[in-house]
Amino acid sequence: MLTLWGRENSSNVKKVLWLLDELNVTFQHINAGGVYGKNNEPLYLSLNPNGLVPCLQDDDFVLWESNAILRYLAERSGKEAFWPDNLQQRAAADKWLDWCSNSLTVPFRQVFLTLVRTPEAERDMSVVAAGMAAFEKYWAIADAVLAKQKWFSGEQFGIGDIPVACYADTWFRLDIERQSHPNLERWYQQLQQRPAFCKRVMLPLS
């Protein structure tokens, strides 16, 4: 039996919940972190000594780090769409997990934490401007890729789309002025046709 620990409005938890739904896997979900607490209690720290979410239990096996969990679930499922047998197809989709972590995480925090979780009087808009500039640079790269293929994972939706989408959803729903990236916008519209994306990712921004 799979058990996933982590608050449902965490970007890193959202992507795991989304994949679990796409895979149609039965699992138990325990909200932890933020207002739910639990993540600094001895039980949770015995599973993940970092005290961060998400954390996955698969019977006696415990795994933390959201991208590692995505890869594990994708391979565990045996579904070609999420873990192709072809090595190059799999690597081409898989690279977007690392690209997302290495490129989008810092500007996401700069923009999201400042505009959503910081009182207006305390906001440093220079931090937002730096984050916005970085985002636009990376979205231009993403848009150019999507001009050549339908999804980040290739010609069909897959694991490579999931982490990028969790940041992109917030980006598109923030009340900010954005540059136009038509291929990225087309991809985002495609995502909204997926029930699991709407259920797990398109939550109120908080």
Side-chain angles (χ1 to χ4, degrees), residues 75-86:
E75 186 165 10
R76 179 184 184 273
S77 74
K79 292 190 177 180
E80 175 74 11
F82 293 97
W83 203 251
D85 290 333
N86 182 283

Side-chain angles (χ1 to χ4, degrees), residues 11 44 80 96 155 186:
S11 295
Y44 188 82
E80 175 74 11
W96 291 104
E155 290 310 305
R186 180 263 305 162

Side-chain angles (χ1 to χ4, degrees), residues 19 34 50 55 80 116 141-142 147 157 179 195 205:
L19 180 58
N50 300 289
C55 181
E80 175 74 11
V116 176
I141 293 171
F157 172 81
Q179 296 178 21
L205 299 180

Side-chain angles (χ1 to χ4, degrees), residues 104 106-112 115 125-140 170-171 174-179 181:
L104 300 184
V106 171
F108 176 81
R109 288 174 177 163
Q110 290 173 315
V111 175
F112 177 74
L115 292 181
M125 296 309 291
S126 66
V127 172
V128 175
M132 292 282 291
F135 257 128
E136 294 292 9
K137 171 188 172 182
Y138 294 125
W139 288 143
T170 299
W171 171 261
L174 282 172
D175 185 17
I176 54 177
E177 185 175 344
R178 292 173 289 270
Q179 296 178 21
H181 300 291

Side-chain angles (χ1 to χ4, degrees), residues 113-172:
L113 292 181
T114 303
L115 292 181
V116 176
R117 295 189 178 167
T118 303
E120 186 173 1
E122 301 173 19
R123 293 174 188 167
D124 184 345
M125 296 309 291
S126 66
V127 172
V128 175
M132 292 282 291
F135 257 128
E136 294 292 9
K137 171 188 172 182
Y138 294 125
W139 288 143
I141 293 171
D143 192 75
V145 169
L146 290 172
K148 301 174 184 177
Q149 59 192 56
K150 187 174 181 180
W151 302 95
F152 285 106
S153 300
E155 290 310 305
Q156 62 179 346
F157 172 81
I159 192 175
D161 297 277
I162 289 176
V164 185
C166 290
Y167 287 137
D169 176 66
T170 299
W171 171 261
F172 279 114

Side-chain angles (χ1 to χ4, degrees), residues 18-32:
W18 179 12
L19 180 58
L20 285 165
D21 282 1
E22 293 281 356
L23 297 174
N24 196 28
V25 173
T26 299
F27 66 98
Q28 176 187 19
H29 177 217
I30 301 174
N31 272 306

